[in-house]
Amino acid sequence: MFIPLLPAVVGAALLAPALLDPALLLADARPQRHPTAHEGAVRAADLLDAVRDCVPVSRGRYRSDQGTPADIPVCGARGAVFWKADMDTDCDGRPGPVCNRRTDPSFTPATTYQQSDGRHVSAETLPYIVVPGPSAIWDHRRYGIGGGSVAAVIHRGRVRYAVVGDTGPREIIGEASYAAARALGIRHDPRTGGADSGVTYIVFRDARVPRLEDRRATRARGEELARRFLRENGTRGGSGRDRT
């Protein structure tokens, strides 16, 4: 006798082979690829256009490395500060397989800012940038910037969002974590990695994530802030006077 199958039974029968297919299960387990050009809908070209001009807010200028000319100002725009520099790879923070005393001669296990659980951040896994320590040149704290402040970092058409995770020498600027360099496609070896130039750092004022280590929140907040930055600055870049 012919017994018609119910639609739900037929659907389950058709889906069963796919659910049991090891290849499909393996594909689902693979990490999703991130966009190569930018993280979210804000284009690198638009952000770079908005920071073409610089009105310095720093009293002096920074060096990119020890012994190089002091020619990098911190610039002001509505809702943010920015600078254009190189990128040295920072491996400081909680030690791991990549960032430790063996792989990085200048490694230190401490960072100025810590995670919500009190531990030092991991340069291997957390995209963070380094701001210069407060000095007569510039004091980031006066601009509402500190641990967990959100930044957009741009290099060769890519936009990645990071947090302020550490402070560095008072006279040098242009440094970010191993994870940040890797996300931007920059050579990230602790000893020899980095970019000699062409990196733009936009740090949003009075805008922090509740948990410094929350990468998802950083990406979402970063894109929101970048959109607002473009609305407020348009193509005028830093030509609008900074509000202190």
Side-chain angles (χ1 to χ4, degrees), residues 18 21 23 36 43-44 63 67 95 101 111 132 143 148 157 165 167 170 177 192 237:
D21 187 343
T36 56
R43 299 193 314 156
R63 306 178 190 276
R101 295 189 188 279
T111 49
Y143 290 79
T167 59
R170 295 181 177 182
S177 68
T192 62

Side-chain angles (χ1 to χ4, degrees), residues 10-42:
V10 175
L14 291 173
L15 287 173
L19 293 174
L20 297 175
D21 187 343
L24 290 177
L25 290 174
L26 182 61
D28 290 339
R30 295 190 187 105
Q32 297 297 311
R33 297 182 63 185
H34 294 291
T36 56
H38 51 79
E39 203 170 73
V42 178

Side-chain angles (χ1 to χ4, degrees), residues 216-227:
R216 180 175 296 182
T218 299
R219 287 194 295 269
R221 183 75 170 131
E223 186 177 346
E224 173 193 343
L225 292 165
R227 288 176 180 275

Side-chain angles (χ1 to χ4, degrees), residues 92-93 110-114 120-121 130-131 133-134 140 147 164-168 212:
D92 292 344
T111 49
T112 303
Y113 305 111
Q114 288 82 49
H120 293 284
V121 300
V130 180
V131 295
H140 59 273
V164 173
D166 202 1
T167 59
L212 183 147

Side-chain angles (χ1 to χ4, degrees), residues 16-201:
L19 293 174
L20 297 175
D21 187 343
L24 290 177
L25 290 174
L26 182 61
D28 290 339
R30 295 190 187 105
Q32 297 297 311
R33 297 182 63 185
H34 294 291
T36 56
H38 51 79
E39 203 170 73
V42 178
R43 299 193 314 156
D46 293 335
L47 288 172
L48 291 176
D49 191 46
V51 296
R52 285 180 303 172
D53 304 317
C54 173
V55 173
V57 295
S58 56
R59 294 183 179 179
R61 301 194 174 205
Y62 288 97
R63 306 178 190 276
S64 60
D65 294 290
Q66 193 68 40
T68 61
D71 57 4
I72 304 170
V74 175
C75 311
R78 288 186 176 88
V81 298
F82 64 92
W83 57 89
K84 302 176 183 181
D86 65 342
M87 180 182 284
D88 296 327
T89 303
D90 186 0
C91 243
D92 292 344
R94 200 165 66 251
V98 176
C99 292
N100 53 64
R101 295 189 188 279
R102 296 187 306 276
T103 60
D104 181 3
S106 60
F107 173 81
T108 175
T111 49
T112 303
Y113 305 111
Q114 288 82 49
Q115 298 183 164
S116 59
D117 59 6
R119 294 192 299 168
H120 293 284
V121 300
S122 167
E124 293 182 16
T125 60
L126 181 68
Y128 71 76
I129 68 167
V130 180
V131 295
S135 71
I137 300 175
W138 181 63
D139 187 344
H140 59 273
R141 300 170 301 183
R142 290 188 58 233
Y143 290 79
I145 293 169
S149 290
V150 181
V153 191
I154 306 154
H155 177 70
R156 292 187 177 179
R158 293 186 179 189
V159 180
R160 294 294 182 264
Y161 300 107
V163 292
V164 173
D166 202 1
T167 59
R170 295 181 177 182
E171 303 84 16
I172 295 175
I173 203 167
E175 189 175 4
S177 68
Y178 173 96
R182 184 175 182 178
L184 284 163
I186 292 173
R187 290 180 294 110
H188 44 275
D189 182 89
R191 291 176 182 264
T192 62
D196 293 333
S197 62
V199 183
T200 299
Y201 304 78

